[in-house]
Amino acid sequence: MTTETSHTTACILCECNCGIKIELDGRRFKTIRGDKEHPASQGYTCEKAMRLDHYQNGTHRLTSPLRRRSDGSYEEIDWDTAISEIAARLGQIRDTVGGDKIFFYGGAGQGNHLGRAYGAALQAAIGSKYYSNALAQEKTGEMWVDGKLYGGHTKGDFEHSDVVVFVGKNPWQSHSFPRARPVLKAMAADPKRTMIVIDPRRTETADLADIHLQVRPGTDAWCLAAMGAVLVQEDLVDHAFLAEHAVDTEPVLAALAQIPVAEYAQTCGVSEDLIRAAARAIGNAETACTYEDLGIQQAPHSTLSSYLNKLLWILTGNFGKPGTMSLHSSFVAIAGGGSGGGPRKAPSRLDSVIASVGAVATRFVADVVTAGIATAAEYSATTGLADRGAGALLSKAPITKVAAGGGVGGGGGRTTPVTGARIIGGLVPCNSIADEILTDHPDRFRAMWIDSVNPAHSLAESTRFRAALDALDLVVVIDVAFTETARHADYVLPASTQFEKCEATFFNFEFPRNVFQLRAPVLDPLPGTLAEPEIYARVIRALDVIPVATISRLRKAAHAGPDAFALAFFASVAADPSLMKLASAVLYETLGETLPPKMRGAAALWGAAQLCAAANPAGVRRAGFGGTGTQPGTKLFDAILNSRSGVTFTVDDWSDAWSYVRGREHRIKVAIPELLTELAKLDAEQSWTSEEFPFILAAGERRAFTANTIIRDSGWRRRDAAGALRMSTADAESMGFTTGSRVRVITEAGAAETVVEVSDTLRAGHITLPNGLGVDNIGTDGGAVAVGIAPNELTSSKHKDPIAGTPWHKHVPARVEAVL
Ligand SMILES: Nc1nc2c(c(=O)[nH]1)N[C@H]1C(S)=C(S)[C@@H](COP(=O)(O)OP(=O)(O)OC[C@H]3O[C@@H](n4cnc5c(=O)[nH]c(N)nc54)[C@H](O)[C@@H]3O)O[C@H]1N2
Ligand SMILES: Nc1nc2c(c(=O)[nH]1)N[C@H]1C(S)=C(S)[C@@H](COP(=O)(O)OP(=O)(O)OC[C@H]3O[C@@H](n4cnc5c(=O)[nH]c(N)nc54)[C@H](O)[C@@H]3O)O[C@H]1N2
Ligand code: SF4
Ligand SMILES: [Mo]
């Protein structure tokens, strides 16, 4: 095997994006192994990466744009027809009812975030203002809390921590931090370290834990409040830390002092002793950190539980030193803005590629223009000026104050047009989308642009969401596959896979060394498909919104060299601020031309690199990208373009964690009044089960062979191919079921059939179904066959968090019947 057949890239099945090396056999993935040079994963992968050929070469691939006929069937059309018809219809909706009625959803999955940078430019081109993605059905509550407390996303140093707490998180299966399994095993093997798991199921992670708080489903708020209360009542609080680094602590300490620990222990179904032991372990540890995920984020009191979880490490001073929590740099900020108080970093989500470039440019408008630099020729003649001019300005830019609203998705305090739901981090709550469509309100959404997501499968209450899709005037779907969502589109555009184009993830959450990887294509695009940056560029061209003269001037500057381009770019945006939000498209058309053709989609990263360097000058310099002016950003961009295993883009000191804390004197603002009010009301516990629906169903568990709906072909699963319903031994016995029994699961929203797996890991009354099942496979006869239960046929969009609107996928009242 020659070296050319080994391609360095990354797994795209979860947000860890472990580095991998693929050996090809033609277009097939012959062998896949971990890439030891990847700075974060260091050669680690889980078993799922070995199955990526099922993604690349599944039977599901689309190879031509499709247009829906009036009878509901689809016909293949060529790209030019598709682009011109779609652009015309978008333009028509913009000109009649307004571009803000065109709603954008997705644009990024577990490993492909480049497309979203260009999607944001298309939004700007048509005046679309509303956007969302899956984070608005999991992370927005946490983002809101983060925004209020310190204004950014936090991550724990699990590898070096004495005490680690996982709340509603099963990292053995779901990962979410590098090399999760070796890290968990090392923790379990070290008697000096303590792992605490809060989960109603004895998961693979709980099996390794020292303390498992096996709560009753949906009662984490009581469990976490009791733990906080123990910290306060037994005085395990780090008062010196709070005095130095926090404000507004009193109301929180007072509230927790009141909590009746024994009573709350009873409510959550965990022994008081165990709760006290867990709280003491955290309170007495040198270092501790926590990780919360869907088990609380998709269950009752989710935003409150996020807050109580964060109080555990805040009250005990576990921040800003090895083994504790930190905030971190981002290459492109995707989360953490929230709409909490205090200054924010960049607007959340990928829109900040646009916002960042735009905001930088705006800062320099006056200066660059008054410097009298107007033409590409002059730029190239004034390389030195480029350094001193734009460069000096860049390094002075108060990037950290880039206001939300600069990008398409920003906007603290914004609400949705029809239902007035809170928009957090620029994201419309997923559970509100159907309500924003299925109405005769004049401001209802009329069209939806859907890229790289499968909302007809992944949003709560699929029946209602499908009805919403069918009520729209225009639905455009970009995907590699003919998905459940594509079946409701007017146009379906076939994308090249993540191994057929350059791609990147913006899930870069490491500290103190943060890593960004730009992947090169492993294969040529399947004929008929296009990469998203090219699709967006074509639609934006057809809309004719970027002046031809600007493009030609910037192209010349790009060919003249990096400094010339930097100044020309900023000056152009300065002269025409409306170009700001189109920045990624402008970069694609201009700088993109000078990049290797296969890497053209990376053009938008130039803006991100400039901003990243300006926002984190010391960290970027320590990572090896020094110099003046735009040089660090340019060097970082070059390194990213030329490195296949990933680039460390910031190297911080632990003490730098504080510099990421927004707010006066970089202090944590501990009290969140809305949540203290909710905490005070916890006494009145509500039960969601009934005689009709006696079980709580967790609809969407991460298992060994699940990966959202990224792989459709059910044959990729080596185990649990049908996605069994897990049920406790006690319940199975009393109902007369054994493993393999066929059952019907019934909820308020629907019913579906599957088989039982009897499991001693569950509490009685708790049942679970895997995530990502029930997608249509192509059967041997060419027809569609769904394998397993699509969880959202059973969920209801009504049950959601009062603050963030996040769904209760993990808390669906249900009953189970035998199928005779
Ligand atoms: N294998 C695999 N890995 C993945 C993914 C995948 O599809 N498959 N998806 C990725 C994505 S998008 C995400 S967001 C992450 C999610 O990662 P996780 O949040 O870890 O995944 P889940 O298994 O959905 O839920 C976590 C745990 O919540 C528990 N739980 C259920 N109800 C409750 C409750 O009321 N309280 C508490 N405390 N816990 C409860 C479940 O028992 C489960 O163990 O995983 C990522 N990794
Ligand atoms: N009931 C229930 N519902 C849930 C969850 C749950 O636990 N329970 N989990 C929720 C969570 S945490 C998440 S993150 C969401 C995930 O749900 P979604 O956000 O809808 O994402 P995926 O299911 O991963 O869909 C990814 C889509 O991208 C397509 N794709 C793959 N590669 C490319 C590409 O290169 N370009 C394009 N254009 N498309 C591509 C795939 O074919 C697939 O259709 O589901 C949520 N829904
Ligand atoms: S599924 Fe996640 S943890 Fe497993 S190899 Fe892929 S990226 Fe890594
Ligand atoms: Mo997710």
Side-chain angles (χ1 to χ4, degrees):
M1 187 65 50
T2 59
T3 45
E4 292 96 276
T5 58
S6 175
H7 297 265
T8 304
T9 177
C11 174
I12 54 137
L13 296 176
C14 84
E15 81 242 36
C16 281
N17 299 114
C18 299
I20 54 171
K21 291 197 178 274
I22 299 180
E23 304 249 346
L24 294 175
D25 177 6
R27 287 187 71 87
R28 301 214 71 107
F29 293 173
K30 198 172 84 175
T31 54
I32 296 176
R33 63 198 152 86
D35 174 11
K36 293 196 174 71
E37 280 157 48
H38 190 278
S41 60
Q42 298 167 34
Y44 173 82
T45 70
C46 74
E47 68 276 20
K48 294 191 290 301
M50 309 303 139
R51 310 293 282 168
L52 278 167
D53 189 61
H54 290 260
Y55 162 76
Q56 173 59 36
N57 293 307
T59 48
H60 54 269
R61 290 291 303 277
L62 290 165
T63 51
S64 164
L66 301 175
R67 180 174 60 197
R68 194 183 174 88
R69 297 194 190 96
S70 52
D71 67 358
S73 62
Y74 286 86
E75 61 189 326
E76 296 194 350
I77 53 174
D78 61 59
W79 273 103
D80 287 346
T81 307
I83 298 290
S84 63
E85 287 188 13
I86 289 170
R89 290 190 65 179
L90 291 172
Q92 187 212 354
I93 295 170
R94 172 192 59 192
D95 298 341
T96 51
V97 290
D100 58 339
K101 312 297 184 303
I102 306 170
F103 176 59
F104 274 58
Y105 189 77
Q110 297 293 304
N112 55 324
H113 293 172
L114 275 186
R116 178 57 197 149
Y118 301 94
L122 175 58
Q123 273 191 274
I126 54 176
S128 158
K129 295 199 180 108
Y130 296 98
Y131 169 72
S132 199
N133 61 42
L135 291 173
Q137 64 169 321
E138 44 170 328
K139 298 285 173 283
T140 35
E142 182 182 12
M143 283 162 63
W144 188 81
V145 171
D146 281 341
K148 297 265 182 201
L149 291 171
Y150 32 67
H153 180 257
T154 56
K155 192 76 191 275
D157 182 15
F158 307 106
E159 197 165 355
H160 304 108
S161 190
D162 292 337
V163 173
V164 175
V165 191
F166 296 114
V167 193
K169 171 78 197 164
N170 181 14
W172 184 268
Q173 294 300 6
S174 65
H175 292 77
S176 303
F177 55 88
R179 303 170 49 254
R181 288 177 185 168
V183 168
L184 292 173
K185 277 198 231 160
M187 217 180 295
D190 187 340
K192 294 193 291 300
R193 302 175 70 196
T194 306
M195 197 197 307
I196 301 169
V197 170
I198 308 182
D199 197 307
R201 189 170 94 80
R202 202 184 72 242
T203 59
E204 296 81 352
T205 310
D207 255 340
L208 294 171
D210 301 280
I211 300 178
H212 178 201
L213 306 175
Q214 196 168 6
V215 288
R216 290 199 301 119
T219 61
D220 297 81
W222 283 265
C223 181
L224 292 162
M227 288 167 76
V230 173
L231 294 177
V232 172
Q233 293 166 19
E234 297 189 8
D235 200 20
L236 297 165
V237 171
D238 187 340
H239 296 286
F241 174 91
L242 293 179
E244 192 184 345
H245 293 297
V247 291
D248 251 1
T249 43
E250 273 319 307
V252 174
L253 298 178
L256 292 172
Q258 300 295 318
I259 301 255
V261 175
E263 210 178 288
Y264 276 33
Q266 199 157 17
T267 304
C268 69
V270 179
S271 89
E272 182 184 342
D273 287 349
L274 212 52
I275 287 185
R276 287 191 186 273
R280 285 172 194 150
I282 299 167
N284 292 322
E286 275 302 306
T287 56
C289 52
T290 74
Y291 198 119
E292 63 167 81
D293 215 335
L294 303 184
I296 58 169
Q297 294 181 342
Q298 297 182 337
H301 299 292
S302 52
T303 303
L304 175 61
S305 295
S306 290
Y307 180 44
L308 293 168
N309 161 45
K310 283 156 201 289
L311 287 177
L312 295 179
W313 60 259
I314 293 173
L315 295 179
T316 53
N318 279 296
F319 183 87
K321 50 184 184 178
T324 68
M325 304 297 293
S326 63
L327 280 91
H328 53 79
S329 63
S330 32
F331 187 65
V332 171
I334 63 152
S339 46
R344 285 185 294 275
K345 218 176 173 182
S348 58
R349 259 341 263 180
L350 318 174
D351 310 316
S352 48
V353 168
I354 303 303
S356 61
V357 175
V360 171
T362 329
R363 301 300 310 173
F364 312 133
V365 172
D367 310 67
V368 174
V369 170
T370 47
I373 310 161
T375 68
E378 273 181 68
Y379 296 128
S380 49
T382 54
T383 313
L385 188 66
D387 277 354
R388 287 177 282 109
L393 290 163
L394 255 178
S395 58
K396 269 195 286 176
I399 297 298
T400 51
K401 294 212 182 84
V402 172
V408 183
R414 284 176 76 210
T415 53
T416 59
V418 173
T419 66
R422 195 189 310 245
I423 292 178
I424 297 172
L427 304 175
V428 168
C430 293
N431 270 38
S432 302
I433 297 172
D435 299 337
E436 300 289 328
I437 296 169
L438 292 170
T439 164
D440 53 13
H441 192 290
D443 293 335
R444 68 187 181 277
F445 295 145
R446 311 298 171 93
M448 202 163 158
W449 184 282
I450 300 171
D451 175 2
S452 206
V453 280
N454 189 5
H457 182 278
S458 60
L459 297 198
E461 206 172 331
S462 301
T463 359
R464 187 165 159 76
F465 186 74
R466 286 191 293 260
L469 283 178
D470 293 339
L472 291 166
D473 297 341
L474 174 68
V475 177
V476 178
V477 168
I478 305 180
D479 206 296
V480 298
F482 194 57
T483 63
E484 288 63 31
T485 308
R487 281 157 226 261
H488 295 265
D490 298 288
Y491 294 90
V492 185
L493 302 179
S496 308
T497 68
Q498 298 186 48
F499 301 104
E500 296 171 348
K501 63 195 171 208
C502 70
E503 256 305 352
T505 173
F506 297 156
F507 287 142
N508 317 118
F509 301 142
E510 300 313 310
F511 184 90
R513 304 172 70 88
N514 210 348
V515 177
F516 180 84
Q517 182 185 18
L518 174 66
R519 287 127 48 193
V522 170
L523 290 163
D524 289 334
L526 193 65
T529 68
L530 289 177
E532 290 81 351
E534 178 64 21
I535 297 175
Y536 286 106
R538 289 188 187 191
V539 179
I540 292 170
R541 268 175 226 153
L543 288 162
D544 195 18
V545 285
I546 309 175
V548 178
T550 308
I551 305 253
S552 76
R553 192 168 63 239
L554 289 178
R555 274 186 188 154
K556 265 194 241 158
H559 286 288
D563 294 338
F565 181 75
L567 270 190
F569 179 81
F570 293 136
S572 290
V573 184
D576 179 2
S578 72
L579 285 180
M580 232 166 76
K581 292 180 173 178
L582 298 165
S584 59
V586 172
L587 289 168
Y588 185 83
E589 297 291 3
T590 59
L591 182 71
E593 268 207 346
T594 64
L595 302 177
K598 287 180 177 180
M599 304 306 271
R600 185 169 182 172
L605 298 179
W606 178 87
Q610 294 294 353
L611 177 74
C612 177
N616 311 283
V620 168
R621 189 178 338 104
R622 280 190 293 258
F625 309 105
T628 55
T630 50
Q631 280 172 358
T634 302
K635 284 185 197 164
L636 175 56
F637 177 66
D638 283 348
I640 284 170
L641 204 57
N642 295 312
S643 157
R644 291 290 68 88
S645 290
V647 171
T648 301
F649 65 92
T650 45
V651 175
D652 278 314
D653 291 330
W654 270 93
S655 59
D656 292 328
W658 286 107
S659 69
Y660 293 101
V661 173
R662 308 293 151 220
R664 212 161 26 90
E665 297 175 345
H666 302 293
R667 281 169 184 256
I668 299 174
K669 198 167 172 297
V670 186
I672 303 182
E674 293 94 322
L675 294 176
L676 291 174
T677 307
E678 194 178 330
L679 177 64
K681 288 193 219 141
L682 265 189
D683 293 355
E685 194 216 343
Q686 198 174 351
S687 169
W688 300 97
T689 52
S690 60
E691 238 171 78
E692 189 185 6
F693 299 118
F695 285 97
I696 287 297
L697 165 71
E701 185 174 66
R702 272 67 188 163
R703 294 185 184 169
F705 286 98
T706 69
N708 292 346
T709 66
I710 303 167
I711 300 185
R712 301 182 66 80
D713 155 25
S714 64
W716 87 284
R717 253 175 250 119
R718 288 197 189 273
R719 293 192 285 283
D720 191 26
L725 176 82
R726 287 186 174 144
M727 178 180 261
S728 73
T729 316
D731 289 326
E733 269 170 17
S734 76
M735 299 186 74
F737 299 141
T738 52
T739 292
S741 297
R742 251 204 108 66
V743 292
R744 186 176 299 113
V745 186
I746 302 152
T747 67
E748 185 189 346
E753 290 180 17
T754 186
V755 290
V756 166
E757 176 194 323
V758 179
S759 169
D760 64 359
T761 63
L762 286 167
R763 295 179 65 114
H766 195 206
I767 48 179
T768 73
L769 280 171
N771 186 50
L773 275 277
V775 293
D776 281 339
N777 283 231
I778 315 260
T780 37
D781 61 352
V785 239
V787 179
I789 294 182
N792 290 310
E793 299 298 331
L794 299 175
T795 57
S796 148
S797 57
K798 279 201 305 265
H799 298 302
K800 57 185 177 187
D801 183 73
I803 289 178
T806 37
W808 296 358
H809 290 323
K810 297 285 184 269
H811 208 79
V812 185
R815 73 171 178 276
V816 183
E817 292 174 355
V819 174
L820 302 171

